[in-house]
Amino acid sequence: MPIPKIPRKLLLLLLAAVATAACGHAADQEACPAPEQRDCPADALTFDSGIADLVHTRCYPCHAPGGEEQSRLLTDYVHVSRESMSIRSQLATCSMPPAGAPPLSSEERQQIFDWLACRTPE
């Protein structure tokens, strides 16, 4: 089956949109501090002692049944711990929370990274 040709105007519009989005993302990167890399700190939160509240407040609205990202539920410990690698990646690249949502504070990001470094204690 031959690949359909994309009209030149449409292709240029798509490229401009990608370039604009990439530039906007780069600006967001400056506002998103790099995480401090460290081993599991003694004062790290557990899921029940603070991470659950943070996830419920900041992530649950989209990552819940009926939410925009219901394909990746973050409704309880089992779901959140299963997504730990994705969560780490998304936070490290500053792609979550998405553009338009309030960003996590440096402290919130560090709390999640510490929890992940401790292997997601419940």
Side-chain angles (χ1 to χ4, degrees), residues 23-74:
C23 290
H25 188 65
D28 292 343
Q29 287 277 359
E30 293 172 14
C32 184
E36 182 180 329
Q37 299 299 314
R38 57 186 182 186
D39 293 328
C40 176
D43 63 345
L45 297 174
T46 64
F47 189 77
D48 293 337
S49 73
I51 297 299
D53 291 337
L54 180 57
V55 169
H56 184 75
T57 302
R58 303 304 301 273
C59 310
Y60 186 77
C62 292
H63 293 277
E68 291 178 41
E69 286 297 324
Q70 64 184 340
S71 64
R72 289 195 172 186
L73 294 177
L74 298 178

Side-chain angles (χ1 to χ4, degrees), residues 1-2 6 13 20 27 29 35 40 47 54 56-57 61 69 85-86 92 100 103 106 109 121-122:
M1 175 176 200
I6 298 174
L13 283 172
T20 301
Q29 287 277 359
C40 176
F47 189 77
L54 180 57
H56 184 75
T57 302
E69 286 297 324
M85 295 300 288
S86 177
S106 295
R109 291 182 78 241
E122 191 171 9

